[in-house]
Amino acid sequence: NGLRKPLYPFLNWAGARIDEWSAVHDAEWGSLRASLLEQLSDQLIELAYKTFVLEANILSGTSGGGAADGGSAVDRFARVAAESPRCAQRLYLRYPALARLAATAVLQWRKNTEDVLVRLRADASKIEEAILREPIGVLQGITGTLSDPHDGGKRVLVLRFSRGRRLVYKPRSADVDLAYQRFIAWLNDAGVEPRLRVLGVVTGDKYGWCEFVEAGALSGEEATRRFYRRHGAHLAVLYLLKATDFHSENVIAGGEHPVLIDLETLMHADVKGAPDKDPQSGGDRALRNSVFASGLLPGWTDGDPLSPRPDLS
């Protein structure tokens, strides 16, 4: 939209970096280029949105702008940014901290994207064998997810290939993911019914690849019963491993298979103070040591009992 006009200098620089990658890495660069620039644009507007809205309103107020002379404040802001070559320069001189944050984000994006491309080429055969079980195909797009950025702007990404195949890239160690999937496979071999879905995982040095899970509806009453039995099996495993934080954003309902997608809080350790300074009541401690601690079961966060916060399970 119009608020993104001042981001174009950063995006033009990023476009030149993409041209450099296209000479080295095989991909369908027409669609991949668009997805990469959209990903970066979304990250930058997340940083700059409030500042740009403020500037749009200031511009509209000082110039007497309105519908009669050219539309909304955002429209006027976009027009001025497009028509004045120095608009972005003046904007970033006025907000130097924003300029620094945006430049840092672009440099991190370059480093992190290059890492993904290099690692994909190195691990392609392992991914084909352990996850896709067919040729990986041609890379067509890389999109961001709702995950929070960590360790230099790194985020979980979804890669899209020809023939509709997708793959999840995790910019952290995937050893825990692999161990959990092996444990689930062991439970299946031990006779757990209905069987639980086991995801393919490939681990690298402080990163990993994981099978993509598509959210899907249940097909009927029997599938629903199997879904909740599997949900209970995962609940038992998480209780055994003292896990937390498995709220709605960390579970995907893939048809009749509930799939856990963020395993960082397995074997969660409690921080305990002196007994006389422990703020938790006996009931709080009992819940913390029960199956409710995992977050999979319905419940409400602390607050006014008459006006509880939303259920995030």
Side-chain angles (χ1 to χ4, degrees):
N1 58 39
L3 286 177
R4 298 178 189 244
K5 295 288 186 181
L7 301 177
Y8 285 8
F10 294 104
L11 297 175
N12 289 337
W13 184 90
R17 306 291 77 73
I18 294 175
D19 291 339
E20 294 172 359
W21 295 332
S22 66
V24 178
H25 301 280
D26 293 331
E28 190 174 301
W29 281 104
S31 58
L32 179 57
R33 178 189 181 90
S35 72
L36 289 174
L37 290 176
E38 181 179 2
Q39 178 199 139
L40 177 59
S41 177
D42 288 344
Q43 292 179 27
L44 293 176
I45 198 63
E46 186 177 342
L47 288 173
Y49 178 77
K50 291 182 179 179
T51 303
F52 289 178
V53 168
L54 172 64
E55 282 296 301
N57 287 321
I58 291 173
L59 177 64
S60 182
T62 57
S63 62
D69 67 343
S72 69
V74 171
D75 293 335
R76 176 177 289 274
F77 176 80
R79 186 165 62 250
V80 171
E83 295 174 353
S84 173
R86 293 199 169 187
C87 175
Q89 180 183 12
R90 289 194 298 268
L91 181 67
Y92 293 120
L93 286 173
R94 189 176 302 129
Y95 301 100
L98 176 61
R100 176 178 58 81
L101 290 172
T104 299
V106 172
L107 292 174
Q108 290 176 342
W109 168 87
R110 177 190 184 182
K111 172 65 168 59
N112 296 334
T113 304
E114 195 160 28
D115 284 346
V116 173
L117 295 174
V118 170
R119 289 167 175 175
L120 177 64
R121 183 168 60 182
D123 295 335
S125 60
K126 296 178 183 177
I127 292 169
E128 291 173 345
E129 179 180 354
I131 300 177
L132 300 179
R133 298 176 182 84
E134 65 179 10
I136 198 167
V138 180
L139 180 62
Q140 296 180 326
I142 300 177
T143 57
T145 66
L146 296 177
S147 69
D148 296 325
H150 296 287
D151 188 21
K154 297 175 183 176
R155 299 171 185 256
V156 175
L157 301 172
V158 175
L159 282 66
R160 186 182 76 256
F161 299 89
S162 54
R163 291 184 291 176
R165 299 307 300 264
R166 281 177 283 185
L167 179 69
V168 178
Y169 169 78
K170 295 188 175 184
R172 57 165 176 77
S173 172
D175 290 346
V176 171
D177 301 71
L178 181 60
Y180 189 80
Q181 299 307 322
R182 286 175 173 172
F183 185 46
I184 294 300
W186 179 84
L187 289 175
N188 286 338
D189 292 341
V192 167
E193 289 292 342
R195 294 174 66 84
L196 305 174
R197 180 172 175 178
V198 178
L199 302 183
V201 176
V202 170
T203 60
D205 182 14
K206 297 182 181 179
Y207 72 93
W209 308 95
C210 189
E211 184 177 341
F212 180 83
V213 179
E214 184 82 58
L218 291 160
S219 60
E221 184 174 342
E222 287 304 312
T224 303
R225 293 180 186 278
R226 289 192 295 269
F227 175 89
Y228 282 107
R229 288 191 63 187
R230 291 183 173 111
H231 201 275
H234 281 293
L235 179 64
V237 172
L238 295 181
Y239 173 64
L240 172 68
L241 298 179
K242 202 172 177 58
T244 65
D245 202 39
F246 285 92
H247 50 75
S248 58
E249 292 181 355
N250 288 338
V251 183
I252 295 178
E256 62 180 66
H257 289 273
V259 180
L260 311 182
I261 60 171
D262 190 345
L263 305 174
E264 292 180 321
T265 55
L266 292 179
M267 300 183 183
H268 183 76
D270 287 330
V271 178
K272 296 182 179 180
D276 59 337
K277 296 182 179 180
D278 188 351
Q280 289 187 325
S281 68
D284 290 332
R285 286 191 293 272
L287 287 174
R288 179 64 193 85
N289 293 316
S290 75
V291 290
F292 281 94
S294 67
L296 277 182
L297 294 177
W300 289 268
T301 55
D302 54 357
D304 183 358
L306 300 179
S307 182
R309 298 177 188 176
D311 174 20
L312 300 179
S313 68

